[in-house]
Amino acid sequence: MPLSRNRQETELAALFARHGYVPSDVPILQPAEAFVELSGEDIRRRLFLVTDEAGEEMCLRPEFTIPAAQAYIAKGLGRPLDLAFIGPVFRQRADGPGEFVQASLESFGRADIAAADADLLAIAMETEAALGGSFTIRIGDVGLTSALISALKIPPSIARKIRQNGLHRTEAKPATANGLSSYQGVLAALQGADPAEARAFVKDLLSIAGLKAVGGRTPAEIADRFLEKARDTGVGLNDEQAGIIDQFRTISGTLQGVAREVQDLARAASLDLSAAIARFEDRAALFDKKGLDAKRMTASTAFARNLDYYTGFVFEFVGNGMDKPAIAGGRYDGLLRRLGAPQDIPAVGCAIWLERFGSAA
Amino acid sequence: MSKLIIGVPSKGRLQENTFGFFSRAGMSLVRARGDRDYRGVVEGIDDIEVAFLSASEIAGELARGSIHMGVTGEDLLAEGVPDREQKIVMLAPLGFGFANVVVAVPEAWIDVRTMADVEEVAAAFHARHHRRMRVATKYINLTRRYFSTHGVSDYRIVESHGATEGAPAAGTAELVVDITTTGATLAANGLKVIDDGTILKSEANLVASTVADWSAEAREAARQVFFRIAGEENGRKLREIRTQLAAPVEQATLDQFGASLPFGTGSRVTIIHCPARNVGALADALTRAGAQAVTVSALAYVFRSENPVFDRLSARIG
């Protein structure tokens, strides 16, 4: 039975409090800088931007996670803290109003990673029940993909593309020299050269040409790129690597099934993914222990939301013909350091789109 | 809004060229109180108000429907009017205001020739400097779309509405997306256009708004404007040939040269309208068909009853 908007929010507030989440809030008007620096133009064109008197670019908050993390860094460092937010967020969207209500759960600083993951999923499932939804639960693990990329010793430029574009668009083609293709001879000569010598040589050449640093890149940076190209040109994924990745990204099914298939693949390819698989299995065991219904969950290796942001457990509640999730989130252990914390801090959280649950008119 | 409102660029070469364009068509633009006036009229046609605006304002006003027609560049329309097809109709390219919107990087970036290089450099820059590479431009939408198409996401835009080419040297951006005609300004600022860096080739166009309030007076005034413009264009492109032939000239001969008989075949003197570039060849064919002499004169105007541009506009505004 769908609930009316205020009742939805009241129910959720009570539910979150029961699980020890502190009801919190952050200002609607936020500096745009942190969002843009993290997500670039992709988020910036979605922001409602204003400029304050001092000329600083402000925005209407598009989400809660970044402001929550900033608040935690400012006031809460050193102890675990679970924060809950419910309120309007603002994004320019083609498929909906620019203002919509989101609930957000952020769990900072808990060292018991697998337990924190399991607790969050449990609350997400209770939230779904409280709001009267029934979705498919998709589970992924960015840690498995990262471990595979490391174990395969994939060239850094290709690893970067995989992290950016996801496994479904593996760049199996060899890296090309692109603009440097007219310098094939120089690149060939630099291959295998002593890096310090080669760097100094290219730097000196650029200085002779009278080209100073213009626009933030130094001659040293340009020299380094020459060297990287010399090293990487023609180096692509070999057939074996491409084949393993192709096999890996089609693995999907139950949590247990996926763990087993990844283990089998690793063994067959003589790759050590044991640490990542152990984390995956520990988490799955905790889901069981908490009585979460494994039959509702589909795990897949290819399901990985934004590999540069998430670092481990990821999940989505989707279905009912929507291509956008009603609840989505995961672990983002790298975020707080990027926002200025002195070290990496474990963090896991999710967002709930109330508009994607039915509500009484 | 019953008068036809035409937006005309208020300064620079675009303004000069637009004045020239209307003047050649016999519709001089008059600024009532001299160069400072923001309003004007068209000599010879009633019910027209000329609004002098910057070219980018013209694009915006067309999209909003607060002016009926205007002269502006394709670059500004592509940038400022997201759903162009619904809001405006391009009536005619004007043959001036040519410029390209390009991606330009410092010449010192000898390792960067293509957008694929830009993508790699952006990622490396972010990792090394812990901030995103900055692109200075006023073409926010064009830049986002083009960069996205080429897989570049590791950057941010710094809005720049003047002297964009100076941004890298001033340290406010790493590269630029800017409009260029000769490339001289870019070179003077130590920048080069990358090989696949041409985002858009732009030209000044006469553009109409489909969402403006098209009253009967505005439509009539527009019809007259297009009538005169077509007249000038035909006159410029055609020549009148007079000759005397025993038998009417063959249609096949006319077709061969894109020529026509404006007054039919009534009199002994045959009057033909022929594209300027073909007069020599047609004159030759006519003498071979028996003509003793063939004279050719330029035409000031050729007015016709068909008004194809007006028909196109009518079809869109209903």
Side-chain angles (χ1 to χ4, degrees):
Chain A
M1 181 80 194
L3 302 174
S4 69
R5 190 60 71 206
N6 285 333
R7 276 195 64 196
Q8 276 183 328
E9 297 175 40
T10 316
E11 292 261 341
L12 287 187
L15 168 63
F16 298 155
R18 274 201 299 280
H19 284 273
Y21 275 72
V22 177
S24 312
D25 201 0
V26 288
I28 288 183
L29 200 56
Q30 291 279 334
E33 179 65 23
F35 301 103
V36 178
E37 197 45 46
L38 203 68
S39 313
E41 291 296 319
D42 268 347
I43 190 85
R44 187 139 165 271
R45 67 194 168 100
R46 299 260 177 255
L47 294 178
F48 287 96
L49 291 165
V50 288
T51 312
D52 73 4
E53 273 183 343
E56 186 182 352
E57 211 171 47
M58 308 287 285
C59 68
L60 303 182
R61 67 186 182 206
E63 48 106 57
F64 289 103
T65 305
I66 288 176
Q70 288 173 323
Y72 178 76
I73 293 170
K75 308 233 193 74
L77 277 183
R79 56 194 170 96
L81 201 51
D82 294 337
L83 303 173
F85 301 83
I86 307 177
V89 295
F90 305 84
R91 294 196 203 204
Q92 309 214 36
R93 314 187 287 177
D95 58 345
E99 173 176 349
F100 57 100
V101 177
Q102 228 184 36
S104 196
L105 298 168
E106 318 290 342
S107 171
F108 297 124
R110 278 184 64 177
D112 50 343
I113 306 284
D117 292 347
D119 285 346
L120 185 71
L121 186 62
I123 302 178
M125 292 178 79
E126 283 186 48
T127 300
E128 183 202 28
L131 294 179
S134 169
F135 300 98
T136 308
I137 304 176
R138 270 199 249 158
I139 308 275
D141 190 342
V142 172
L144 285 176
T145 310
S146 296
L148 182 73
I149 294 176
S150 292
L152 279 176
K153 301 201 192 348
I154 291 180
S157 46
I158 298 185
R160 188 178 64 76
K161 293 232 162 73
I162 293 178
R163 267 196 294 279
Q164 202 168 291
N165 302 328
L167 274 177
H168 55 279
R169 267 187 280 169
T170 42
E171 295 282 339
K173 301 189 298 290
T176 57
N178 293 331
L180 290 174
S181 48
S182 49
Y183 294 121
Q184 292 288 17
V186 176
L187 289 179
L190 285 176
Q191 262 180 352
D194 169 63
E197 244 185 59
R199 204 175 191 253
F201 177 60
V202 175
K203 266 182 72 177
D204 285 345
L205 280 181
L206 290 174
S207 307
I208 293 171
L211 298 172
K212 303 187 288 285
V214 174
R217 280 178 92 210
T218 59
E221 277 178 81
I222 296 174
D224 282 345
R225 184 144 178 272
F226 263 101
L227 289 170
E228 184 193 302
K229 281 302 190 183
R231 191 190 63 221
D232 284 352
T233 299
V235 175
L237 288 181
N238 59 42
D239 287 341
E240 194 198 344
Q241 289 169 323
I244 293 171
I245 291 184
D246 271 340
Q247 277 184 277
F248 178 81
R249 67 189 174 91
T250 56
I251 296 176
S252 99
T254 62
L255 291 168
Q256 278 189 332
V258 165
R260 206 171 28 235
E261 279 188 61
V262 173
Q263 181 68 280
D264 288 345
L265 177 63
R267 195 179 311 122
S270 307
L271 299 170
D272 180 14
L273 304 180
S274 48
I277 295 175
R279 281 191 286 271
F280 186 90
E281 288 179 317
D282 287 346
R283 194 186 307 127
L286 280 175
F287 291 168
D288 266 344
K289 199 152 156 234
K290 289 189 80 80
L292 305 182
D293 185 0
K295 286 194 296 296
R296 294 195 56 201
M297 303 178 206
T298 308
S300 72
T301 52
F303 168 56
R305 313 176 68 232
N306 197 340
L307 279 75
D308 259 343
Y309 180 85
Y310 290 102
T311 55
F313 173 51
V314 287
F315 69 95
E316 264 183 5
F317 284 55
V318 284
N320 301 352
M322 303 169 337
D323 49 31
K324 300 271 175 67
I327 306 178
R331 176 161 292 282
Y332 44 93
D333 288 344
L335 179 65
L336 271 73
R337 195 213 280 261
R338 279 168 85 173
L339 291 177
Q343 74 265 9
D344 281 329
I345 295 176
V348 66
C350 68
I352 299 142
W353 281 258
L354 277 91
E355 65 190 353
R356 294 180 188 155
F357 293 82
S359 74
Chain B
M1 220 180 121
S2 56
K3 289 195 183 200
L4 178 76
I5 306 182
I6 305 182
V8 166
S10 54
K11 57 184 169 67
R13 295 272 299 280
L14 268 183
Q15 188 220 61
E16 287 169 31
N17 282 319
T18 305
F19 267 69
F21 173 81
F22 277 93
S23 164
R24 275 193 301 279
M27 296 184 284
S28 292
L29 303 178
V30 181
R31 277 171 125 144
R33 290 178 295 228
D35 272 1
R36 301 278 170 187
D37 201 351
Y38 292 106
R39 287 292 194 230
V41 293
V42 172
E43 239 176 30
I45 307 186
D46 293 334
D47 288 335
I48 299 185
E49 193 178 299
V50 178
F52 292 95
L53 303 162
S54 74
S56 54
E57 281 172 319
I58 292 173
E61 301 291 320
L62 287 166
R64 273 187 287 280
S66 48
I67 62 177
H68 297 93
M69 285 175 13
V71 172
T72 187
E74 283 171 280
D75 59 316
L76 296 166
L77 291 168
E79 168 65 25
V81 187
D83 41 356
R84 282 193 276 171
E85 292 74 43
Q86 271 92 51
K87 301 211 176 129
I88 57 147
V89 49
M90 310 280 274
L91 297 173
L94 297 176
F96 57 85
F98 294 103
N100 292 345
V101 180
V102 298
V103 181
V105 306
E107 284 174 332
W109 294 15
I110 59 176
D111 60 329
V112 175
R113 293 263 170 89
T114 64
M115 288 299 289
D117 290 319
V118 171
E119 195 276 320
E120 287 178 4
V121 166
F125 187 94
H126 197 176
R128 186 189 285 247
H129 295 274
H130 305 295
R131 64 173 175 85
R132 285 167 190 263
M133 187 178 77
R134 296 160 302 175
V135 180
T137 185
K138 70 180 190 197
Y139 298 99
I140 313 244
N141 293 315
L142 282 177
T143 302
R144 280 184 184 146
R145 263 178 259 147
Y146 196 71
F147 276 48
S148 171
T149 308
H150 287 87
V152 187
S153 59
D154 232 333
Y155 72 103
R156 53 188 295 180
I157 290 177
V158 170
E159 274 194 60
S160 159
H161 290 279
T164 307
E165 313 90 356
T172 54
E174 276 61 61
L175 63 157
V176 309
V177 168
D178 200 16
I179 192 140
T180 181
T181 41
T182 58
T185 322
L186 289 176
N189 283 280
L191 300 174
K192 62 176 180 183
V193 181
I194 60 178
D195 292 351
D196 56 350
T198 301
I199 299 183
L200 177 72
K201 293 187 193 233
S202 179
E203 183 181 353
N205 266 251
L206 186 61
V207 184
S209 170
T210 57
V211 297
D213 176 17
W214 284 96
S215 63
E217 294 89 347
R219 288 176 197 238
E220 172 57 20
R223 191 194 63 75
Q224 290 188 37
V225 167
F226 301 142
F227 183 74
R228 311 260 180 123
I229 289 175
E232 190 276 334
E233 188 178 333
N234 294 333
R236 186 165 22 96
K237 291 189 174 157
L238 298 171
R239 296 291 178 272
E240 181 163 288
I241 295 181
R242 290 171 179 254
T243 186
Q244 200 158 282
L245 291 167
V249 62
E250 302 214 357
Q251 188 60 43
T253 308
L254 293 173
D255 290 342
Q256 192 182 349
F257 300 105
S260 64
L261 300 172
F263 306 117
T265 53
S267 74
R268 287 179 59 200
V269 174
T270 305
I271 300 177
I272 302 172
H273 282 174
C274 175
R277 66 185 183 283
N278 290 336
V279 289
L282 176 54
D284 189 44
L286 291 169
T287 50
R288 278 185 282 117
Q292 294 281 40
V294 178
T295 67
V296 177
S297 45
L299 295 158
Y301 301 95
V302 176
F303 293 105
R304 299 216 179 103
S305 61
E306 303 99 53
N307 195 336
V309 175
F310 185 67
D311 291 342
R312 219 147 46 80
L313 176 64
S314 296
R316 290 295 306 278
I317 62 178

